[in-house]
Amino acid sequence: MPELPEVETIRAQLALRLEGRTLARVEILDPRLTRPFDLFEVAEELEGDRVVAVERRGKYLVMRLESGLALVVHLRMTGGFGFVPASHERAVLELDDGSRLVYRDVRRFGTWFVLDADDAESYLEMKNGPEPLGPGFTAEWLAARLAQRRAALKAVLLDQRVVAGLGNIYADEALWRARLNPLRPANDLAPEEVRRLLRAIRAVLRKGIERQGSTLRDYAAPDGSTGVMQEEFRVYGREGEPCPRCRTPIAKGRVGGRGTWFCPRCQLVR
Ligand SMILES: [Zn+2]
């Protein structure tokens, strides 16, 4: 599933191609995409409108339109955009410069909602905590969130209201970097550990953006390029390989139903 760095990479490319362009023709091919709203109504609302900005909030893409409406897209497992014809096309946006932006989604969990600006704002605020690379994501804020929860640290970090945009990959990488066990109760962390965790989360997300995201299975950016962050993974998907810090073989377990990779030595439960 695309996480913050992948969605940010997609956003940046879409912004270059879409900002200032009019959606000359909009075709939505899958009723699941806009459910519970009718696909023809959604297409009609978008058609003829002009894209003023392409933004990101957590894992959501937000296309701001001149009319004040916003198209709020969540890619879920396998959603993605491209400028060449693709299999599993679920929607097509034809722009006034003649280009054709395709939305593809193999597993069809992605969603498109058209909301007016205020509704979009409250929806995104309800679903997401502060942006982890923004000024609102402070050690005090994170400590307060973690203190309320006894669940496994990693499971709490995957809650988008705690760390917007963080998913399975970058959570494992951040916990390894911070030398924290994914199963520690979230409310057990000392203030120094929370600060370390916060720095680690920011560092892995920044690096992910720099590397244009990671490429696993279905992800590709709209220009067809693939990111290289997977070459930087320290633990994710590396079961049995030596920990880059202490050479202990990386272990794999499950936390909250998600595959979880960690170093049993550097990330010892205390
Ligand atoms: Zn280690």
Side-chain angles (χ1 to χ4, degrees):
M1 180 194 272
E3 304 183 24
L4 188 153
E6 290 77 34
V7 179
E8 178 58 27
T9 303
I10 294 167
R11 183 209 66 76
Q13 291 192 8
L14 290 181
L16 284 175
R17 298 286 296 264
L18 292 183
E19 284 176 5
R21 298 259 73 99
T22 297
L23 305 175
R25 209 171 72 85
V26 176
E27 198 180 1
I28 296 171
L29 306 160
D30 182 359
R32 248 175 92 161
L33 193 57
T34 58
R35 217 165 49 184
F37 302 102
D38 180 83
L39 80 174
F40 295 107
E41 269 173 42
V42 171
E44 221 166 52
E45 279 185 309
L46 294 172
E47 211 164 84
D49 216 334
R50 203 168 69 95
V51 180
V52 291
V54 183
E55 299 170 359
R56 181 193 55 74
R57 185 75 178 86
K59 297 179 190 170
Y60 291 85
L61 283 166
V62 186
M63 288 183 206
R64 305 259 174 216
L65 304 171
E66 197 170 42
S67 63
L69 294 175
L71 171 60
V72 177
V73 174
H74 199 301
L75 304 169
R76 301 288 166 200
M77 305 286 288
T78 54
F81 287 95
F83 286 96
V84 291
S87 52
H88 307 286
E89 288 186 5
R90 306 296 178 202
V92 179
L93 300 175
E94 276 180 30
L95 309 181
D96 60 344
D97 63 356
S99 59
R100 186 172 176 275
L101 176 64
V102 169
Y103 174 78
R104 58 177 188 271
D105 194 345
V106 178
R107 301 202 41 198
R108 302 171 65 209
F109 292 120
T111 55
W112 281 28
F113 294 124
V114 175
L115 301 170
D116 63 41
D118 289 348
D119 288 347
E121 208 48 48
S122 44
Y123 179 78
L124 294 166
E125 286 308 302
M126 176 183 74
K127 295 282 190 183
N128 295 291
E131 280 297 312
L133 296 177
F137 189 67
T138 61
E140 294 69 34
W141 190 90
L142 181 59
R145 287 287 140 334
L146 297 180
Q148 294 168 351
R149 309 273 291 269
R150 287 172 53 197
L153 178 57
K154 179 179 170 186
V156 175
L157 294 181
L158 291 179
D159 181 341
Q160 299 298 291
R161 292 164 303 175
V162 177
V163 192
L166 197 72
N168 205 39
I169 294 175
Y170 293 90
D172 281 3
E173 293 295 313
L175 287 167
W176 176 82
R177 190 181 265 257
R179 302 189 308 280
L180 293 169
N181 190 281
L183 285 169
R184 279 274 292 280
N187 63 1
D188 184 47
L189 266 60
E192 160 53 21
E193 291 175 314
V194 175
R195 285 195 293 274
R196 219 158 70 206
L197 176 60
L198 179 121
R199 286 197 299 273
I201 290 169
R202 286 194 166 143
V204 297
L205 293 176
R206 281 211 190 93
K207 185 173 265 196
I209 293 171
E210 255 172 53
R211 301 291 189 272
Q212 312 269 291
S214 46
T215 303
L216 299 165
R217 298 179 216 100
D218 300 289
Y219 168 78
D223 68 0
S225 66
T226 50
V228 293
M229 181 61 189
Q230 68 281 2
E231 294 162 12
E232 308 270 345
F233 291 165
R234 300 291 188 255
V235 285
Y236 182 85
R238 297 190 53 203
E239 187 181 4
E241 291 177 42
C243 166
R245 197 160 38 212
C246 75
R247 315 311 289 171
T248 303
I250 299 297
K252 185 185 178 189
R254 290 191 91 74
V255 179
R258 310 292 302 274
T260 295
W261 287 266
F262 64 101
C263 172
R265 185 163 169 210
C266 310
Q267 294 171 264
L268 202 64
V269 188
R270 289 178 315 133

